[in-house]
Amino acid sequence: LVMAVIKLHGHPISTATAMVLCCLNEKEVEYDFALVELSAGAHKQPQYLALNPFGVVPTIQDGDLTLFESRAIVKYLAKKYKGQGADLLGNTLAEQALVEQWCEVEGHSFFPPASTILFQTVLRPLRGGTTDEAVVEINIGKLNKVLDIYEERLSKSKYLAGDFFSLADLQHLPWTQYLVTACKKGDLISSRKHVNAWWEDISSR
């Protein structure tokens, strides 16, 4: 019996695709990678829109299941492959609830300013626009508040949800990587002792 391998449609430059790749690797899951050529507009073609009507990457196909939205995908993978690789979900109900909580924080509090900073400092200039420094400053302010809360949290536990690496940490990997490298905003991380230790730990995985 040949097990169907998960097919991941995406692009390595996409942070959302990177999040799913991180999860597949943590869970030690075999997958086929189907490159969606974003620069050629492949994500807006009927063939891809049939998989993901929103026309964004990534999308996975697992047998009869087609799933999009990176945070939904990583949660699915973490549950389906609970018995292999890093756990990512927590074992007790309380641990799982804390993972959910910090995953929500990433989606609602960390991601919006981080993605805005990336868009303004890197993507807009690439597309011939200019960076709106005022917008960048506002969002650095928002991110500073979030990271101050992280600093407090990480002074008490090794990872966001507790003393185990979970989806809550994993979801931060692609965006923080871009913030530190492409956006040259590494001081947001390095200026906070516990956030910095956490980032060095999770980014070295």
Side-chain angles (χ1 to χ4, degrees):
L1 183 71
V2 178
M3 291 294 287
V5 174
I6 287 179
K7 188 168 190 180
L8 169 62
H9 302 263
H11 195 289
I13 203 169
S14 137
T15 45
T17 302
M19 188 192 293
V20 175
L21 286 168
C22 288
C23 187
L24 286 163
N25 288 320
E26 286 287 346
K27 298 308 293 178
E28 297 163 10
V29 177
E30 275 189 52
Y31 60 91
D32 282 333
F33 188 75
L35 182 70
V36 179
E37 205 42 90
L38 302 178
S39 57
H43 53 308
K44 303 298 184 190
Q45 297 303 314
Q47 189 183 359
Y48 185 74
L49 292 172
L51 298 174
N52 183 341
F54 293 97
V56 291
V57 292
T59 303
I60 65 163
Q61 288 176 290
D62 186 11
D64 295 334
L65 176 71
T66 301
L67 194 62
F68 49 82
E69 287 299 331
S70 54
R71 292 174 183 81
I73 295 171
V74 296
K75 193 178 290 184
Y76 166 74
L77 293 170
K79 287 178 177 172
K80 175 168 181 173
Y81 298 101
K82 184 151 175 60
Q84 69 187 61
D87 172 46
L88 302 181
L89 293 169
N91 289 311
T92 65
L93 188 59
E95 283 178 357
Q96 289 165 6
L98 287 168
V99 172
E100 284 281 343
Q101 169 186 280
W102 288 101
C103 283
E104 289 289 319
V105 170
E106 184 276 326
H108 296 289
S109 301
F110 180 87
F111 165 76
S115 58
T116 304
I117 293 165
L118 176 66
F119 177 75
Q120 286 291 343
T121 55
V122 179
L123 299 180
R124 262 186 91 163
L126 276 178
R127 294 170 187 171
T130 48
T131 300
D132 186 332
E133 296 296 348
V135 172
V136 173
E137 283 310 307
I138 289 165
N139 283 281
I140 284 176
K142 288 179 183 174
L143 206 50
N144 272 318
K145 287 190 176 130
V146 175
L147 290 170
D148 284 344
I149 293 168
Y150 283 23
E151 180 68 8
E152 168 66 16
R153 170 64 182 165
L154 293 163
S155 70
K156 299 187 176 79
S157 67
K158 188 171 180 188
Y159 299 102
L160 287 172
D163 288 323
F164 59 99
F165 179 78
S166 74
L167 283 183
D169 308 293
L170 183 141
Q171 286 181 193
H172 287 81
L173 283 168
W175 287 104
T176 313
Q177 184 66 40
Y178 271 108
L179 274 176
V180 171
T181 55
C183 304
K184 309 276 188 275
K185 304 288 181 210
D187 54 316
L188 286 167
I189 306 299
S190 59
S191 62
R192 293 172 172 86
K193 180 183 158 193
H194 297 101
V195 171
N196 191 53
W198 166 75
W199 175 243
E200 287 188 350
D201 178 328
I202 68 171
S203 61
S204 68
R205 296 174 76 90

